[in-house]
Amino acid sequence: MRKITLLISALIIALGASAQEIKNIIFLIGDGMGIASVSMMQLENNYNGIIFDKADNIALQRTYSADNRVTDSAASGTALATGYKTNNTYLGVLADGTHVESLMDVAKKCGKATGVVVTTYLQHATPAAFYAHIPSRHDYVEISRQLASSSLDVAIGGGMEFFEQLYGNNLEETLNKEGFTTVTTMEDLRSVSAEERVLALLAKKEVGSDSGTYLADATREALRLMENENGFALMVEGSLIDGMGHANNAEAQQREMQSFMGAVEVAVEYAATNPGTLVVVTGDHETGGLSIVSCDADFRLSEQGVEYRWSTNGHSAVMLPIYLYGTGAERINGIMENAELGATLKDLIAK
Ligand SMILES: [Zn+2]
């Protein structure tokens, strides 16, 4: 009898799981965003509940690379995008040179739309991990060539300068031949139709997020362009959180975090109104070794103030939080390798 009950429960679980198919994945990566950056935003918002507090589920990831305890954005980007750890500076290739498929490649094979949205240039390590295969993350011209011949449907960010170096005056013509509509402003991006593949080159290098809502707006546009009955995989990067960590600038990092959180809110709203959408938010590594300490040495005497103290101008090796929202949020749990998260997302989008 017990066996039958178990069998019935297993069947119910299996049926439930198939009813909860994941059609879309929105993967948001805060470059350099550790748990202290999230804590800083909770504190700066007076603990009123920021978007990270509203996660349906959470997990943790370890970030070390194949050749270093402290990863760079290329190795961690590759782990998150492809499910494999590699050496620092390597993009989409293993230490032995083997090319590995990314979440976007798998999604494309399943007939889904694919896209990336960033605040830095599109050839930067994190986005490039989703479409390029090259051992040097700094070869921006070659990475541009690989982006042009990639199968991405939507790419929004900066990086015009490297395309100019590659194609000179033939830039628009060449990209058109590769199947891309090119635009250089948000206004023009808004008039692109959902049938078109679009490469939005909004700055020579970094777009930046001084405009505040750029990343949220660009994410909304990407969702509009990518929405289709087969689903999509979209990667959105809050790229400059990292740079502000390198500069040990807490105020500037708060602005970058706010901009990133705006994009997370757009994704979570989308998931709430479009069942079948899984939203995954994490970092690629922590930058700056941020800690949040009392202003006063004796906490009993201290006022409510805190100090943001940094311990390095580089990256650190601490674990990172993973925030999950929407359909399938319960399927990612516990403490995992960054590569395990990447592999799981590839599995989930392929089902
Ligand atoms: Zn960095």
Side-chain angles (χ1 to χ4, degrees):
M1 188 61 191
R2 191 174 140 73
K3 266 191 184 163
I4 293 170
T5 318
L6 278 176
L7 194 67
I8 291 170
S9 350
L11 267 174
I12 290 169
I13 290 167
L15 286 171
S18 67
Q20 287 253 304
E21 209 171 290
I22 295 170
K23 183 173 133 186
N24 311 312
I25 291 183
I26 310 176
F27 193 7
L28 298 109
I29 302 174
D31 198 308
M33 182 185 81
I35 204 158
S37 305
V38 175
S39 307
M40 174 168 72
M41 297 314 290
Q42 290 172 324
L43 191 156
E44 292 291 333
N45 286 282
N46 289 316
Y47 300 103
N48 280 330
I50 56 173
I51 190 66
F52 299 108
D53 299 325
K54 296 171 185 154
D56 296 323
N57 193 16
I58 55 164
L60 290 168
Q61 52 135 328
R62 297 189 286 229
T63 64
Y64 65 91
S65 70
D67 67 345
N68 209 306
R69 296 295 189 213
V70 178
T71 190
D72 76 337
S73 290
S76 58
T78 300
L80 296 170
T82 73
Y84 294 93
K85 286 200 190 255
T86 189
N87 292 348
N88 284 2
T89 82
Y90 283 40
L91 285 170
V93 292
L94 304 184
D96 67 3
T98 311
H99 288 202
V100 280
E101 277 191 327
S102 79
L103 173 69
M104 301 310 168
D105 299 320
V106 175
K108 190 45 72 177
K109 276 187 189 167
C110 301
K112 293 174 188 288
T114 57
V116 297
V117 176
V118 299
T119 44
T120 185
Y121 30 104
L122 285 159
Q123 299 88 342
H124 205 263
T126 310
F130 285 82
Y131 64 80
H133 304 280
I134 188 167
S136 169
R137 60 178 283 186
H138 300 295
D139 191 347
Y140 297 126
V141 172
E142 170 56 21
I143 294 171
S144 300
R145 199 189 57 72
Q146 295 191 18
L147 172 54
S149 58
S150 75
S151 61
L152 289 178
D153 297 294
V154 174
I156 307 171
M160 171 71 94
E161 184 176 301
F162 306 116
F163 277 109
E164 284 172 348
Q165 285 172 32
L166 181 63
Y167 300 128
N169 292 334
N170 299 325
L171 191 153
E172 205 176 330
E173 193 190 329
T174 313
L175 290 173
N176 284 350
K177 268 191 201 145
E178 295 285 0
F180 284 109
T181 300
T182 53
V183 297
T184 55
T185 65
M186 280 299 282
E187 287 69 41
D188 289 347
L189 178 63
R190 288 194 180 96
S191 63
V192 173
S193 83
E195 288 74 45
E196 296 170 76
R197 291 176 67 216
V198 63
L199 188 46
L201 298 169
L202 305 179
K204 287 263 181 201
K205 277 194 173 163
E206 293 168 351
V207 183
S209 46
D210 284 347
S211 64
T213 61
Y214 156 71
L215 197 61
D217 295 343
T219 301
R220 215 174 273 118
E221 285 308 305
L223 291 170
R224 174 183 69 81
L225 291 164
M226 295 170 70
E227 193 171 64
N228 73 96
E229 60 183 20
N230 290 330
F232 59 80
L234 170 65
M235 193 286 292
V236 177
E237 185 193 31
S239 319
L240 306 176
I241 297 164
D242 173 66
M244 304 316 145
H246 282 293
N248 289 179
N249 186 336
E251 241 171 71
Q253 188 173 76
Q254 286 163 30
R255 284 196 293 276
E256 296 302 329
M257 283 292 293
Q258 204 67 50
S259 142
F260 182 57
M261 284 157 54
V264 176
E265 275 167 23
V266 169
V268 171
E269 254 166 53
Y270 185 88
T273 47
N274 293 274
T277 306
L278 170 65
V279 177
V280 182
V281 190
T282 191
D284 57 347
H285 52 73
E286 195 273 348
T287 305
L290 177 62
S291 66
I292 304 176
V293 296
S294 168
C295 279
D296 196 287
D298 183 344
F299 71 89
R300 290 166 304 175
L301 302 175
S302 111
E303 294 168 11
Q304 288 181 351
V306 294
E307 261 179 64
Y308 298 121
R309 285 198 200 144
W310 305 85
S311 57
T312 176
N313 289 105
H315 299 174
S316 77
V318 296
M319 285 196 294
L320 303 180
I322 305 166
Y323 301 96
L324 301 142
Y325 309 77
T327 303
E330 73 290 348
R331 293 189 217 173
I332 294 172
N333 290 294
I335 299 172
M336 65 191 73
E337 300 296 341
N338 52 6
E340 206 179 330
L341 175 61
T344 304
L345 295 183
K346 279 167 73 173
D347 280 352
L348 290 176
I349 202 76
K351 274 176 187 153

